[in-house]
Amino acid sequence: MEAIAILLFNNTVPMTFNNQELQLQVFFPNLDAPLGEPVNFTVNEEIEFSVPFSETSEIEDSFGSGYIIDIADDSILFQTVASPFENLTYNSGDFNGFVFTDVSVTIPG
């Protein structure tokens, strides 16, 4: 018996984030430890997130790094915001960062 697999790819669908619904969530110290609730948003021409540096955060005796996230048609720009403090130190962990999820599973990949 012979088996044949046919894979079809639609090359006419452009890869774009614009007008797509995404979810952003921050995790630390690993991917089993979310910091706060996830945020759903629709990508548009504006800057999606602009968060100032904060002297407090959800973790005791810590701070919240400021950042700007701007998602374009085909890229994600992450930019840190300058801290008013010198010689900052960060705790180590398996993961410390952002996770983006395609909520509607509509972005071809």
Side-chain angles (χ1 to χ4, degrees):
M1 178 180 284
E2 186 175 74
I4 298 175
I6 300 174
L7 303 175
L8 300 176
F9 297 97
N10 185 350
N11 291 332
T12 61
V13 178
M15 170 59 176
T16 180
F17 291 119
N18 203 26
N19 295 318
Q20 302 299 319
E21 185 179 2
L22 299 181
Q23 182 180 84
L24 173 68
Q25 189 159 22
V26 181
F27 291 84
F28 177 79
N30 56 53
L31 286 170
D32 294 323
L35 292 177
E37 296 296 317
V39 176
N40 288 9
F41 62 97
T42 301
V43 176
N44 58 41
E45 297 297 323
E46 304 295 320
I47 292 174
E48 277 68 30
F49 295 94
S50 181
V51 178
F53 188 91
S54 171
E55 294 184 31
T56 61
S57 78
E58 294 186 24
I59 301 173
E60 188 176 335
D61 297 327
S62 67
F63 59 88
S65 295
Y67 56 86
I68 295 170
I69 299 175
D70 188 14
I71 303 175
D73 286 341
D74 59 359
S75 62
I76 298 175
L77 172 69
F78 178 85
Q79 180 179 354
T80 58
V81 173
S83 164
F85 305 113
E86 293 183 24
N87 302 319
L88 290 174
T89 59
Y90 291 86
N91 293 329
S92 63
D94 292 334
F95 186 86
N96 183 4
F98 302 90
V99 173
F100 293 90
T101 304
D102 178 6
V103 175
S104 303
V105 192
T106 56
I107 300 173

